[in-house]
Amino acid sequence: MRFHIAGLGAVGSLLAFHLRRSLDIKHQIFLIHRTKQAAIDARYAGGLLSVENDGTTLTATGFQHFALDTFARNPEPKIFRKPLKPGRPPVVTEPPAPARPWDAIDSLFVTTKAHSVVDVVRALSPLLSKKSTIVLLGNGMGVYEHLIHELYQNPYERPNFILGVNTHGAWRKDRWKVVHAGVGRLQFGIVPDSAPAPRDFEKDGLTLDNILNDPSDPDALRYLNLRNTIAALQNAEDLVPTWKPIVDIEIEMQRKVVTNSIINPLTALLGCRNGDVFELESGLRIMRAICAEAEAVFAPQFYAETRGPSGPLEAKQKTIDDWLRDGFSPDLTRRALERLCLQVARGTANNFSSMLVDMRNGAPTEIEYTNGYLMNLGVTYDVPMPATAMLLNLIKLRSAIPDQSRL
């Protein structure tokens, strides 16, 4: 089987390292670099990845390194003709090729920044089909919906999708080495299938047999790569893989988008580590305000999904206790979100957020998929989001105005 990983930052490299160490060498792992030069540099460096954890460094090899445009061009193998000999027809031979990056993609892990996902998948789309599986492991929310709208509106030709939430702490020490700074979990769930015949992947619990238990099934090939991708994730035990129902994964994503909508922009604006943002009451007030806004918008979203068009109005007429009795997740209440923010800030106290790093490097941020996502929900369900909007606008301003201290 061929596993492709696009997005070779800390999370993508950590994932690639553990997949390589847990999978049989017969399974190929292609690492997709942004540029041709980056892929060449990786090959010259030995094509290896190292992970440091608690002072111990381990190394994995056996990766195939290619640039994104290698796949986009979908090249054909070159044909060489041997010199003609008198009285004999020409003999056509092909040069040996241990890796064919332009073959169909079985499983694609996307760990790029949220704003790059659509462009990356679009570039690889000639090699993707309804038999492929795409695993989305980035930050933010709304990425899957954006991808479906842009590339896969036809459900009959849509690949299988897995959504994941990573809580491991990791950072790049150098180009080929990642520090695994904090052990978390890699939680994932399967997006429900819609065509040609909907499958209930959670019918009898989360088991591989629910994906494919009959090789004679006429749709077996459509789900084979999905099954193998889940198995590969489960085998990467050091990442603490946790397979959950997709509704639980969506709640985990909602919780993470709230923490990312508070800690990331605050650290990016203040130029500080994660552990500094809630040291003063002013930081706590901002955090509480955004958690309250998130609770207020998640409730009508829940009611809309469970009660239909009249749900959001019904939600506004109820109290938090009513919401909880009706099935609203207690993990999405403002108090639970506040506790989570404090927990994340403490657990990653010495880390610099990805948004701060992006701003210092002059790179685009993921603010539209964190605060922007919450803002869009506010517009949809007529919920005011002033604190969330303030951080969104400040990040946009900070990104647009040159840092005067560096001039």
Side-chain angles (χ1 to χ4, degrees), residues 3-44:
F3 297 89
H4 294 67
I5 300 176
L8 299 176
V11 173
S13 297
L14 185 68
L15 173 69
F17 172 86
H18 285 291
L19 284 178
R20 182 69 287 167
R21 286 176 60 84
S22 61
L23 291 173
D24 191 288
I25 194 64
K26 68 182 179 183
H27 299 291
Q28 293 179 310
I29 297 182
F30 295 87
L31 302 186
I32 305 175
H33 298 263
R34 285 182 295 177
T35 66
K36 182 178 180 180
Q37 188 58 53
I40 293 173
D41 291 345
R43 294 191 196 109
Y44 273 117

Side-chain angles (χ1 to χ4, degrees), residues 90-353:
V91 178
V92 178
T93 60
E94 292 187 11
R100 291 169 53 91
W102 47 88
D103 282 341
I105 292 177
D106 297 329
S107 182
L108 172 65
F109 293 82
V110 184
T111 61
T112 63
K113 297 292 185 182
H115 48 75
S116 299
V117 170
V118 170
D119 290 339
V120 168
V121 176
R122 181 182 285 113
L124 298 171
S125 60
L127 306 182
L128 292 163
S129 71
K130 62 184 180 181
K131 299 176 184 178
S132 305
T133 295
I134 298 177
V135 185
L136 300 179
L137 283 172
N139 288 326
M141 293 194 72
V143 177
Y144 168 75
E145 292 79 4
H146 187 198
L147 193 57
I148 294 303
H149 179 266
E150 291 293 322
L151 301 178
Y152 295 114
Q153 293 188 20
N154 182 355
Y156 292 91
E157 298 300 325
R158 186 180 300 165
N160 298 293
F161 278 90
I162 295 172
L163 302 183
V165 180
N166 168 65
T167 60
H168 290 276
W171 54 277
R172 294 286 294 270
K173 193 168 187 176
D174 59 40
R175 295 182 69 181
W176 324 118
K177 188 173 185 178
V178 172
V179 177
H180 194 175
V183 176
R185 288 187 297 172
L186 182 60
Q187 302 174 83
F188 58 89
I190 304 173
V191 176
D193 188 20
S194 57
R199 298 290 178 105
D200 185 355
F201 298 122
E202 303 171 3
K203 178 178 61 175
D204 300 312
L206 302 176
T207 69
L208 291 175
D209 282 345
N210 282 349
I211 300 174
L212 177 64
N213 58 12
D214 182 5
S216 65
D217 186 335
D219 291 321
L221 289 179
R222 174 174 171 79
Y223 301 104
L224 179 61
N225 291 331
L226 175 63
R227 179 190 177 105
N228 289 338
T229 301
I230 292 290
L233 284 167
Q234 290 181 315
N235 284 336
E237 295 180 354
D238 288 339
L239 290 177
V240 196
T242 308
W243 184 5
K244 287 187 169 185
I246 192 63
V247 64
D248 292 342
I249 293 299
E250 290 171 345
I251 290 173
E252 291 296 332
M253 293 177 70
Q254 288 173 297
R255 283 162 59 80
K256 187 174 181 180
V257 84
V258 173
T259 62
N260 286 343
S261 296
I262 299 170
I263 296 174
N264 285 12
L266 282 177
T267 56
L269 292 167
L270 299 173
C272 66
R273 297 177 188 270
N274 292 357
D276 298 330
V277 292
F278 303 136
E279 288 297 311
L280 298 176
E281 182 62 26
S282 52
L284 291 171
R285 283 198 295 269
I286 295 172
M287 180 263 286
R288 293 178 189 129
I290 294 178
C291 287
E293 292 174 5
E295 177 195 78
V297 79
F298 287 153
Q301 181 187 35
F302 164 75
Y303 274 76
E305 293 172 352
T306 58
R307 307 291 177 87
S310 62
L313 180 60
E314 181 183 353
K316 290 184 177 182
Q317 299 169 347
K318 292 177 176 285
T319 67
I320 180 63
D321 291 332
D322 295 328
W323 298 346
L324 293 172
R325 280 193 293 269
D326 290 341
F328 183 68
S329 173
D331 290 332
L332 297 179
T333 63
R334 68 179 71 185
R335 300 305 181 206
L337 295 172
E338 289 172 11
R339 290 193 296 270
L340 177 65
C341 288
L342 293 173
Q343 175 187 336
V344 170
R346 286 194 299 266
T348 61
N350 293 321
N351 293 6
F352 291 108
S353 73

